[in-house]
Amino acid sequence: MKKTYFIWLSIYFVVWTLAYWEYAAFLTVGRLTGISVFFILLFIVPLFKEKPLIQTLLFCTQALLTILIFYPINNELSLFAILIQSLIMAEAAFYLSRIKSLIVFSVQILSAAVILMMSTVTPSQLYWSALYYLLLVVALLYHQVIHNREKEARLSNEALLEEYRRMKRQLLVEEQQARQDERMLIGHEIHDSVGHKLTALLFQFEAFRLTAAEKDKETVEKLKELAEQSLEETRQAVRSFKQHEVGGLQGVIRLIRKLETESFMKINFSVKHGAFAAPLTGEQSFAIYRAVQEALTNIMKHSSTREAQVIFESPGGSIFRFEVINATTHDRYFQEGYGLKAMRERLEKVGGSLEIDYEAQRFLVRGTIRLADWGGSDD
């Protein structure tokens, strides 16, 4: 809207400048007053965007002012009058509805008719003026139809885009729920089948131990301990299936998807140098997930831009490094808060470190974790 207003204003400025050069010698107090009022109305028309009835009255007033301003000078018809009247009609067609713009057209054509009657015009000039206004009205009404169709299509597209985003968020929630249900189902299957059979096996080992010979009791005890360890590991696996939060690199990808769909963040995610193949432990993966989550959350809360770049890399397989970069303006009062301190402590617990690089045009969070030797030895 602002850009369109300045376009109209520029066109009016050019036309009125040319008209002033043409008729500077014929300006009177009445004409100068009319021009002043005309420009006052021109500046206040956009203020009544939500009140089309007032805009209609303002456009009609401008149309009537053209009679006072362009009262025939030397009984000659001014082409600048026709041009300015055409701009008023075009602006009315752009801002107003069909009925209200037709009211402005009618007032404007009556004003043009008054100026023509006061001027000494030839029949060809009269026919030309009538044909010009007829074609102008048809063209403006046609433009109005096309403009309204484009506006309706744009509103429809915006509604469809909002519905698409809503369905995408819903699909993401349903996908997460489906995965969680599948994990729960697998956990129940493990618990009901493997867990129960291991429990039964433990009872059988205990019963056999009570009746076994003294020389076999030690072997039975070891087998029982192995079965107990297997049962405990099975229970831990079932508990992990019941966890709702997924950490690690997979969790980071899901977090990025969620922020892009729900919070409209623009995140450029790139993986370099075999980051997905890095031998991260579960605790290290979860620490990386939490660090990236905290960094992106800080960008949402404190940054003036909603864009970020996330980079994962594992050069040489000896370290894993992640970077979260946000283009922002420099804040000389920046201090490391609780979130960054907690991020640093979490990474240090898993053998990592955190760096904060705050430059004039960007804010960078870099985390580094030392990995176990790629070849499996630690010399």
Side-chain angles (χ1 to χ4, degrees):
M1 179 69 182
K2 184 177 179 180
K3 182 179 179 181
T4 305
Y5 170 71
F6 281 110
I7 291 175
W8 284 113
L9 195 61
S10 300
I11 296 174
Y12 272 110
F13 176 78
V14 172
V15 173
W16 277 103
T17 301
L18 295 175
Y20 176 80
W21 284 345
E22 181 73 19
Y23 299 111
F26 301 97
L27 290 179
T28 62
V29 175
R31 288 193 174 97
L32 288 174
T33 303
I35 293 173
S36 301
V37 176
F38 185 94
F39 273 97
I40 291 173
L41 298 180
L42 179 64
F43 284 115
I44 68 174
V45 161
L47 301 178
F48 298 96
K49 178 183 177 182
E50 305 300 328
K51 298 180 179 180
L53 182 59
I54 297 179
Q55 279 190 327
T56 304
L57 294 176
L58 293 178
F59 284 127
C60 291
T61 304
Q62 283 184 313
L64 294 174
L65 282 173
T66 57
I67 301 175
L68 175 63
I69 298 171
F70 293 100
Y71 185 89
I73 301 173
N74 296 330
N75 292 329
E76 293 180 357
L77 176 64
S78 172
L79 296 179
F80 288 104
I82 296 177
L83 185 56
I84 291 175
Q85 289 174 340
S86 302
L87 288 176
I88 296 173
M89 295 171 67
E91 197 174 3
F94 183 81
Y95 285 109
L96 301 177
S97 63
R98 174 70 61 81
I99 300 299
K100 292 181 175 59
S101 60
L102 285 175
I103 294 175
V104 177
F105 292 172
S106 301
V107 174
Q108 185 65 79
I109 291 175
L110 288 175
S111 301
V114 171
I115 294 177
L116 287 172
M117 286 188 295
M118 293 179 178
S119 305
T120 303
V121 294
T122 63
S124 61
Q125 289 178 325
L126 184 62
Y127 298 150
W128 180 90
S129 300
L131 181 60
Y132 172 79
Y133 279 107
L134 175 63
L135 294 177
L136 179 63
V137 170
V138 172
L140 290 177
L141 292 177
Y142 179 75
H143 166 77
Q144 200 173 55
V145 171
I146 299 300
H147 177 72
N148 290 336
R149 287 179 182 176
E150 291 179 353
K151 184 177 179 180
E152 292 174 0
R154 184 174 65 255
L155 294 176
S156 178
N157 290 338
E158 290 176 355
L160 289 173
L161 180 60
E162 182 63 27
E163 181 66 16
Y164 165 74
R165 288 171 176 166
R166 187 190 66 80
M167 293 181 64
K168 193 173 181 180
R169 292 194 294 267
Q170 182 179 356
L171 181 62
L172 180 60
V173 172
E174 292 177 353
E175 180 184 352
Q176 293 174 349
Q177 186 61 42
R179 289 182 179 179
Q180 186 62 28
D181 292 343
E182 185 178 1
R183 290 163 62 88
M184 292 289 291
L185 179 61
I186 295 174
H188 286 309
E189 289 292 331
I190 294 175
H191 180 270
D192 294 340
S193 58
V194 181
H196 288 176
K197 289 180 180 179
L198 287 174
T199 303
L201 183 60
L202 282 172
F203 284 132
Q204 292 179 12
F205 276 134
E206 182 63 21
F208 180 69
R209 187 183 66 82
L210 295 175
T211 60
E214 196 65 33
K215 62 178 182 179
D216 297 328
K217 286 187 177 181
E218 184 178 356
T219 303
V220 173
E221 187 65 29
K222 291 181 179 180
L223 292 174
K224 182 183 175 183
E225 290 177 1
L226 181 61
E228 288 177 346
Q229 293 176 2
S230 300
L231 180 60
E232 181 59 28
E233 291 176 358
T234 302
R235 288 172 177 170
Q236 291 179 358
V238 171
R239 282 196 293 270
S240 68
F241 274 119
K242 293 181 180 180
Q243 291 179 354
H244 291 273
E245 189 168 28
V246 180
L249 307 188
Q250 179 186 5
V252 171
I253 296 174
R254 293 179 61 182
L255 174 65
I256 290 174
R257 290 175 57 191
K258 181 179 180 181
L259 291 176
E260 286 184 329
T261 55
E262 296 183 2
S263 303
F264 305 106
M265 286 191 67
K266 183 180 179 181
I267 302 176
N268 182 11
F269 179 53
S270 57
V271 180
K272 303 178 180 179
H273 305 300
F276 280 133
L280 292 166
T281 64
E283 192 176 3
Q284 289 174 333
S285 296
F286 196 74
I288 293 170
Y289 168 76
R290 283 299 193 189
V292 175
Q293 183 184 42
E294 178 68 23
L296 293 176
T297 302
N298 285 339
I299 291 174
M300 288 180 57
K301 292 194 297 185
H302 304 298
S303 176
S304 58
T305 62
R306 302 183 71 86
E307 296 185 9
Q309 184 178 7
V310 180
I311 302 174
F312 286 169
E313 59 181 346
S314 179
S318 59
I319 62 171
F320 181 90
R321 182 164 55 231
F322 68 87
E323 293 182 352
V324 181
I325 306 171
N326 172 236
T328 184
T329 56
H330 189 269
D331 184 3
R332 59 177 180 171
Y333 300 108
F334 164 74
Q335 292 182 349
E336 188 173 309
Y338 173 79
L340 292 177
K341 291 180 180 178
M343 186 192 307
R344 187 187 303 278
E345 292 174 359
R346 186 179 291 113
L347 289 173
E348 289 175 351
K349 286 181 180 179
V350 295
S353 61
L354 183 71
E355 300 176 39
I356 307 296
D357 189 3
Y358 197 17
E359 300 176 355
Q361 300 296 328
R362 70 170 188 171
F363 185 85
L364 182 145
V365 176
R366 180 188 294 114
T368 305
I369 295 178
R370 182 172 179 79
L371 303 174
D373 188 74
W374 190 264
S377 62
D378 190 8
D379 297 333

